[in-house]
């Protein structure tokens, strides 16, 4: 192996090693707070199992609540991450190295956390195994389970493949690391030595996997959309739900990626790797997707208003009366504010792009809420002579505790992964420098762009 490459690998490990073991009072307090939130969520889960769903806000009419909304949000986040990651690798985007690992980790963690919220919706967890023993192949839910499991396996393999070169570098250059860490790197690196043959083989496999997960992301999220659109519920029975969900997934995915980039860049002081150009590129993508998302949202509500069907009018009345401010934030502020910020070049600063991403993500979550809850509150045949709290939905502290526990678990696992492998792929830096030696002019131009 080239002596310069070996020396460069040692330099990169030395540069990124402090980030792997970085422990400050702030980080300790943050991890402690996340663990506390998760413990509160576990207490809420035990109470829900012991007392049943009567301690939640879910009732006969509204059988789904914020659990299913969180499930949709996390799963759409994972599918958008898979799609974006696949695009970055397949088309060899010049600046993919700075954001690819962030996207890949978000993808896998979302696929792990998201389905847990489905389990919280099930009243009899002791019968969960029936879904696998007696699956109904004609049920969209069965296909959704198949899609999620397939996508999780594919994304996990893809993430692991991208980790192998860095694990090998850490294995060979971590003399000062703890014993358990060196053993773990050796085991996970599976004998990778970064030879030309191994490198080319790994690149081919990774490229093939990137194409596969793009297809998996589209198919899997389409199946999730069909769970809603193939029913006769007003507000769900729509032919545009599949592309609408895909666009919404990309909208939230790009937003969360921008927020993650900002936090990681600021905390680890990675200004040299995560630069303004990355935020501008992601901001332009968010702008395009926000325009598409706004168009689909307008088409969805306008067609229902114009149809004058009784059930659709009842649903719109519920939205405009009971959920007026939520509707305004989700479908106006959550779409128009990001567009207003990102459309003008002078507003595209790192902080303003991150702010636009926060508004977009919050608006998207509320949009999912408005798709689920108001529809269930306006069924075709309302339940007669029952208490108002059985018709209308209001989440209890149990549901909020478990929701925040899921978010806390997502962040905690993200931090733990960053303690294992650098968030900036070292192997990507090496590959870039190898290509720069072969084609210095082309890569220099790309870097300037």
């Amino acid at each position: 192996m080239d002596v310069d490459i070996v020396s460069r690998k040692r330099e990169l490990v030395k540069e990124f090693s402090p980030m792997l073991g970085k422990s400050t009072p702030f980080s300790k307090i943050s991890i402690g707070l996340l663990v506390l939130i998760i413990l509160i969520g576990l207490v809420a889960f035990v109470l829900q199992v012991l007392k049943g769903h009567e301690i939640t806000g879910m009732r006969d009419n509204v059988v789904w609540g914020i659990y299913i909304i969180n499930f949709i949000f996390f799963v759409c986040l994972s599918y958008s991450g898979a799609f974006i990651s696949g695009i970055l690798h397949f088309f060899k985007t010049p600046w993919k190295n700075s954001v690819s690992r962030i996207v890949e980790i978000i993808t896998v963690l979302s696929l792990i956390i998201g389905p847990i919220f489905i389990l919280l919706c099930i009243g009899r967890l002791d019968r969960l195994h029936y879904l696998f023993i007696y699956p109904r192949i004609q049920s969209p839910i069965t296909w959704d389970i198949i899609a999620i499991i397939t996508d999780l396996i594919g994304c996990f393999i893809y993430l692991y493949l991208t980790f192998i070169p860095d694990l090998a570098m850490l294995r060979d250059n971590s003399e000062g690391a703890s014993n358990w860490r060196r053993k773990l790197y050796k085991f996970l690196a599976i004998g990778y030595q970064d030879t030309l043959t191994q490198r080319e083989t790994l690149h081919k496999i990774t490229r093939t996997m990137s194409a596969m997960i793009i297809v998996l992301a589209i198919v899997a999220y389409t199946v999730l959309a069909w769970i809603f659109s193939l029913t006769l519920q007003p507000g769900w029975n729509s032919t545009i739900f599949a592309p609408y969900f895909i666009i919404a997934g990309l909208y939230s995915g790009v937003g969360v990626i921008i927020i993650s980039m900002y936090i990681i860049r600021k905390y680890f002081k990675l200004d040299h790797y995560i630069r303004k150009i990355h935020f501008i590129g992601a901001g332009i993508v968010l702008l395009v997707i926000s325009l598409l998302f706004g168009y689909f949202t307008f088409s969805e509500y306008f067609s229902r208003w114009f149809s004058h069907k009784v059930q659709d009018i009842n649903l719109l009345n519920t939205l405009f009366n009971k959920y007026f401010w939520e509707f305004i934030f989700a479908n106006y502020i959550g779409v128009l504010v990001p567009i207003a910020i990102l459309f003008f070049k002078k507003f595209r600063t790192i902080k303003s792009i991150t702010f636009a991403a926060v508004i977009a993500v919050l608006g998207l979550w509320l949009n999912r809420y408005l798709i689920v809850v108001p529809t269930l509150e306006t069924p075709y045949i309302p339940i007669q002579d029952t208490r108002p709290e059985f018709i209308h939905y209001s989440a209890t502290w149990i549901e909020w505790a478990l929701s925040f526990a899921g978010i806390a678990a997502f962040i905690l696992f993200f931090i733990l992964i960053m303690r294992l492998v650098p968030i900036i792929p070292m192997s990507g830096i090496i590959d870039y420098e190898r290509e720069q030696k072969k084609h210095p002019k082309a890569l220099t131009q790309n870097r300037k762009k």
Side-chain angles (χ1 to χ4, degrees):
M1 188 180 294
D2 191 346
V3 176
D4 292 337
I5 295 295
V6 174
S7 176
R8 181 59 177 146
K9 287 181 178 180
R10 192 176 294 111
E11 290 175 4
L12 288 172
V13 172
K14 186 177 180 180
E15 178 183 355
F16 287 104
S17 289
M19 299 178 192
L20 302 181
K22 187 174 184 178
S23 182
T24 63
F26 176 77
S27 66
K28 291 178 180 178
I29 293 172
S30 300
I31 292 174
L33 183 61
L34 293 172
V35 172
L36 178 62
I37 295 171
I38 294 170
L39 290 176
I40 294 173
L42 289 175
V43 172
F45 174 71
V46 171
L47 290 174
Q48 180 177 305
V49 171
L50 294 176
K51 297 185 179 181
H53 279 189
E54 66 179 15
I55 64 172
T56 70
M58 295 180 285
R59 292 295 184 267
D60 292 337
N61 267 26
V62 185
V63 293
W64 285 346
I66 59 174
Y67 291 154
I68 197 70
I69 295 160
N70 293 331
F71 164 72
I72 297 169
F73 182 83
F74 273 105
V75 172
C76 94
L77 186 60
S78 69
Y79 292 155
S80 65
F83 185 84
I84 294 167
S85 178
I87 291 292
L88 289 174
H89 278 275
F90 189 78
F91 291 102
K92 298 181 179 180
T93 309
W95 47 272
K96 73 178 179 65
N97 193 60
S98 298
V99 299
S100 60
R101 183 153 293 164
I102 297 174
V103 179
E104 291 155 6
I105 294 173
I106 288 174
T107 301
V108 174
L109 291 182
S110 299
L111 270 176
I112 294 172
I113 301 296
I116 293 175
F117 286 105
I118 280 288
L119 301 181
L120 299 176
C121 281
I122 298 175
R124 294 291 301 270
L125 285 174
D126 58 310
R127 298 181 179 180
L128 179 63
H129 59 286
Y130 288 164
L131 288 173
F132 302 94
I133 298 176
Y134 309 111
R136 296 181 62 196
I137 203 68
Q138 68 270 35
S139 170
I141 294 178
T142 299
W143 282 103
D144 199 35
I145 292 171
I146 295 171
I148 289 173
I149 293 175
T150 304
D151 200 33
L152 177 60
I153 294 171
C155 290
F156 183 81
I157 293 172
Y158 179 67
L159 178 67
Y160 177 60
L161 289 173
T162 61
F163 273 22
I164 289 175
D166 277 18
L167 291 168
M169 290 171 63
L170 291 166
R171 175 200 62 198
D172 299 333
N173 300 281
S174 296
E175 294 80 5
S178 57
N179 192 41
W180 70 266
R181 190 181 284 268
R182 291 199 304 270
K183 288 181 179 179
L184 183 63
Y185 289 146
K186 183 178 180 180
F187 174 76
L188 294 177
I190 57 174
Y192 184 80
Q193 298 297 331
D194 197 29
T195 62
L196 180 61
T197 303
Q198 287 181 335
R199 192 161 57 247
E200 290 179 350
T201 302
L202 187 61
H203 284 175
K204 287 179 182 178
I205 296 173
T206 305
R207 186 173 172 81
T208 303
M209 286 294 297
S210 67
M212 289 175 60
I213 64 171
I214 292 172
V215 177
L216 279 174
I218 295 173
V219 172
Y221 209 52
T222 298
V223 172
L224 178 61
W226 285 347
I227 291 178
F228 290 87
S229 63
L230 295 181
T231 67
L232 294 177
Q233 287 277 12
W236 292 354
N237 188 224
S238 172
T239 57
I240 69 168
F241 252 39
Y244 187 26
F245 269 48
I246 291 172
I247 294 298
L250 291 172
Y251 193 45
S252 63
V254 175
V256 171
I257 290 166
I258 291 173
I259 296 168
S260 302
M261 285 166 54
Y262 179 82
I263 295 172
I264 291 168
R265 179 181 188 266
K266 193 170 185 64
Y267 181 71
F268 289 108
K269 295 180 174 55
L270 293 173
D271 305 42
H272 178 65
Y273 293 102
I274 304 176
R275 305 193 305 276
K276 185 178 179 180
I277 188 173
H278 300 125
F279 284 91
I280 293 174
I284 292 172
V285 172
L286 186 65
L287 171 62
V288 174
I289 297 173
S290 64
L291 291 169
L292 290 171
F293 179 71
Y295 169 75
F296 274 97
T297 301
F298 171 79
S299 299
E300 177 67 16
Y301 287 114
F302 177 77
S303 61
R304 297 194 182 283
W305 172 80
F306 195 79
S307 70
H308 292 290
K309 293 179 182 178
V310 175
Q311 291 79 14
D312 287 338
I313 294 300
N314 290 338
L315 174 60
L316 291 176
N317 286 335
T318 301
L319 286 169
F320 295 151
N321 293 315
K322 184 179 178 182
Y323 297 100
F324 177 78
W325 291 111
E326 292 90 339
F327 184 86
I328 293 297
F329 189 94
N331 301 310
Y332 286 87
I333 296 176
V335 176
L336 296 180
V337 170
I339 290 175
I341 292 174
L342 300 172
F343 187 80
F344 298 99
K345 189 175 181 181
K346 64 179 180 179
F347 292 155
R348 292 179 198 155
T349 63
I350 292 176
K351 288 184 178 179
S352 63
I353 291 171
T354 305
F355 176 75
V358 171
I359 296 297
V361 171
L362 293 176
L364 195 280
W365 190 92
L366 268 179
N367 179 276
R368 305 297 91 177
Y369 187 95
L370 295 178
I371 285 177
V372 174
V373 175
T375 292
L376 293 174
E377 290 183 342
T378 53
Y380 275 107
I381 305 177
I383 299 173
Q384 301 298 319
D385 301 323
T386 188
R387 288 175 288 176
E389 60 266 26
F390 274 52
I391 299 174
H392 304 292
Y393 173 75
S394 180
T396 64
W397 77 269
I398 296 288
E399 294 166 274
W400 287 115
L402 285 165
S403 297
F404 285 115
I407 297 171
F410 177 89
I411 298 171
L412 181 61
F413 288 139
F414 202 114
I415 292 172
L416 293 177
I417 291 174
M418 287 194 297
R419 291 291 184 91
L420 180 66
V421 180
I423 198 64
I424 305 296
M426 297 182 294
S427 57
I429 299 173
I430 296 293
D431 290 341
Y432 177 85
E433 291 174 354
R434 282 195 181 109
E435 289 296 321
Q436 196 173 32
K437 289 180 180 179
K438 294 179 183 177
H439 312 287
K441 292 184 179 180
L443 284 174
T444 301
Q445 290 174 358
N446 284 334
R447 190 169 185 177
K448 287 180 180 178
K449 291 178 183 179

